[in-house]
Amino acid sequence: MTRGEYDVIVVGGGHAGCEAAAAAAKMGSKTLLVTMNLQTIAQMSCNPAMGGVAKGQILREIDALGGMSGIITDKTMIQFRMLNRSKGPAMWSPRAQSDRMRFAEEWRWVLEALPNLDFFQDMVTGLIVEGGKAAGVKTGIGVEVKGKTVILTNGTFLNGLIHLGEKQFGGGRAGERASTGLTAELSALGFEYGRMKTGTPPRVDGRSLDYSKMEEQAGDERPEKFSFNNQTKPLETQRSCHITYTSNEVHEILKEGFDRSPMFNGQIESTGPRYCPSIEDKINKFAGKDRHQIFVEPEGWKTCEVYVNGFSTSLPEDIQFKALKSVAGFENVRFFRPGYAIEYDYFPPTQLKYTLETKLIEGLYFAGQINGTTGYEEAACQGLMAGINAHRKVQEEGEFVLGRDEAYIGVLIDDLITKGTEEPYRMFTSRAEYRILLRQDNADARLTQKGFDIGLADKSRLAELEGKQSKVKELNRFLEKHGVEPVDINPILESKGSSSIKQKLRLDGILARPQIEFTDLMEYDELSNFVLDNGITREEWEQVEIKIKYQGYINKEKENAEKLSRLSDIRIPEGFDYKRLKSLSYEGCEKLSRVQPQTIEQAKKISGVTPSDISVLLVYMGR
């Protein structure tokens, strides 16, 4: 190639690769994206959805920093749901059903519009390393490209092996070849590697399904969006998903293929995602359960292809087909393609720094499933952080790292590099000890200033945040200053099962009551007029409502964050009996008993020990 040396070379066109390339290019680095197939950039290899529990928080954090996944999700979603609305705001998690083809298309348009970004289609088979530093890549057709930094985002392609019943064939995903050569070279450089597994369900023809036998799962009546940027708008129309169930009959049919299942005949030895098991794993481990939920998810606005979520499998295709035909609504099902499992190489993330730069080779970064994670959102945030830090390294600027009390992204990276992972890592709200601080609604307040300071979020983003914060403050002041008479508010309080008042009370005091929501107070004319006159949005008044209702919890969590940072070096008595602490998780108790850490800091870094377990230890020790 004659393009000269690049600042950043990104290998892989998945979610991690796209965010890495976009971040580095937007920040000013001359960037090259190398991928085996330019036609499958940002392809959604598994389910056509973004966000979900904890993943939605990550997606909003990516957006707040100036990444692109939130905007692209907004532009291409066909349904929006805010999960866990019945729980506290720390648990609210946005999820979008996406149009698979439009999602990839939108990403391609975004990337091609970046003047600092070039593309090249070929398999990267090796690295150029000079003096212990990454200096470029070598491709399958013999091309060498020089680069100051290299980011590997290979997904499931490194020596990928697809399993379908007793059949095995190389591939990174259905219809695409595996990537070879790179693992051997990295191993020769001193990197440890292992194997992991993931799976995917069948895709079927939606025209062959009887939706009248299923439960409709519509989107929210008032859909929201992911991006804080005003260039995207909430959906006006949505497509429904549907829910159906397996049965004992379905389970018995599936068992007919267990002797030919790569999961059970020893063909697959690597570890799969514990929290997203295959259907055969479910009926084997939960033998007493007579049915399992299946989500029937459309793949886009116009396609008839349907994703059968909850039916991930690597059983022989004849068994898959026979079993699905016994599921309500699937009696006449037609397959587009069967499900399969895939094994691939990964590199334990304990070999990385907090910037996702490798410890062994300077200027070499790993992001995504190569680090043992699973999921688009986990991959995308790693790509974003690797792209930011690769750019900053070239510019000789400082590291950009997020703490556990600043972002779910910080939790994820800290977990990976300190604890490692023995199974595909998936983000959960339970992994974060500061959930009330790391809500999805305040990601912009936490991170947009940081994104602007490093040159990723633009001025318009910062201006939008400042405008939002100004209106939040105005509304908060209004609620603190304005009182309401008993005659005006008691009918509302009584209708909501809340005690009536006998004297004038401030609106913030009324809103602090658990039974009262902001929308209830909008019946009070003075407040509704203020909201309308000042153009206060739902997003803004929700921020105020959360702050008023949960201020005590928020303050306590901030104190805990500061306290934990001070108490990390607390010593644990030698031979401590963890079984005495009934509030410890089963896995946490088991791991702590086996490892016998000497300090709280050491205990925090043990895989399987949760933030809640650490809190239990601190409480026991009177701290």
Side-chain angles (χ1 to χ4, degrees), residues 186-257:
L186 289 168
S187 178
L189 288 168
F191 287 96
E192 297 177 12
Y193 72 96
R195 298 281 278 176
M196 281 191 176
K197 177 196 82 76
T198 190
T200 191
R203 269 61 158 193
V204 304
D205 188 338
R207 297 170 299 180
S208 67
L209 305 182
D210 185 352
Y211 292 103
S212 68
K213 296 182 178 179
M214 307 178 196
E215 302 168 15
E216 184 178 8
Q217 187 179 51
D220 287 351
E221 286 186 21
R222 293 182 295 174
E224 299 173 49
K225 61 193 189 82
F226 280 92
S227 180
F228 295 99
N229 193 303
N230 61 17
Q231 71 174 266
T232 63
K233 304 295 180 186
L235 285 171
E236 294 182 2
T237 58
Q238 303 184 67
R239 280 201 70 175
S240 289
C241 298
H242 288 79
I243 298 173
T244 186
Y245 299 88
T246 61
S247 62
N248 282 324
E249 179 187 359
V250 174
H251 298 174
E252 291 305 313
I253 295 171
L254 289 168
K255 289 176 185 177
E256 293 174 14

Side-chain angles (χ1 to χ4, degrees), residues 191-405:
F191 287 96
E192 297 177 12
Y193 72 96
R195 298 281 278 176
M196 281 191 176
K197 177 196 82 76
T198 190
T200 191
R203 269 61 158 193
V204 304
D205 188 338
R207 297 170 299 180
S208 67
L209 305 182
D210 185 352
Y211 292 103
S212 68
K213 296 182 178 179
M214 307 178 196
E215 302 168 15
E216 184 178 8
Q217 187 179 51
D220 287 351
E221 286 186 21
R222 293 182 295 174
E224 299 173 49
K225 61 193 189 82
F226 280 92
S227 180
F228 295 99
N229 193 303
N230 61 17
Q231 71 174 266
T232 63
K233 304 295 180 186
L235 285 171
E236 294 182 2
T237 58
Q238 303 184 67
R239 280 201 70 175
S240 289
C241 298
H242 288 79
I243 298 173
T244 186
Y245 299 88
T246 61
S247 62
N248 282 324
E249 179 187 359
V250 174
H251 298 174
E252 291 305 313
I253 295 171
L254 289 168
K255 289 176 185 177
E256 293 174 14
F258 277 13
D259 61 331
R260 293 186 286 154
S261 167
M263 289 284 297
F264 303 130
N265 64 13
Q267 204 169 291
I268 294 178
E269 297 181 354
S270 52
T271 306
R274 185 178 7 151
Y275 302 102
C276 189
S278 64
I279 187 64
E280 55 265 40
D281 213 18
K282 289 179 188 176
I283 63 175
N284 185 54
K285 289 182 177 178
F286 307 106
K289 196 167 183 179
D290 58 7
R291 71 175 192 171
H292 294 282
Q293 206 168 40
I294 293 175
F295 297 91
V296 184
E297 301 178 342
E299 299 240 342
W301 285 114
K302 297 180 179 179
T303 182
C304 65
E305 188 171 357
V306 165
Y307 181 88
V308 190
N309 196 344
F311 206 87
S312 177
T313 181
S314 57
L315 286 166
E317 61 269 35
D318 60 315
I319 296 294
Q320 294 185 33
F321 183 65
K322 184 179 178 183
L324 261 187
K325 284 180 70 70
S326 295
V327 173
F330 280 74
E331 293 82 359
N332 299 307
V333 66
R334 294 192 295 271
F335 269 32
F336 274 12
R337 73 165 187 255
Y340 60 86
I342 180 168
E343 287 186 290
Y344 56 92
D345 294 339
Y346 85 103
F347 291 78
T350 49
Q351 301 172 97
L352 303 176
K353 301 176 183 178
Y354 275 96
T355 58
L356 299 182
E357 183 182 24
T358 66
K359 296 174 182 176
L360 280 176
I361 304 296
E362 186 178 350
L364 176 63
Y365 298 77
F366 292 171
Q369 284 173 290
I370 192 172
N371 290 336
T373 60
T374 182
Y376 306 140
E377 302 80 6
E378 291 90 342
C381 75
Q382 291 173 71
L384 180 75
M385 297 299 284
I388 290 170
N389 280 299
H391 165 81
R392 290 177 68 83
K393 186 174 187 70
V394 171
Q395 299 301 317
E396 298 183 349
E397 297 172 345
E399 298 177 345
F400 182 72
V401 173
L402 296 171
R404 295 184 70 94
D405 59 339

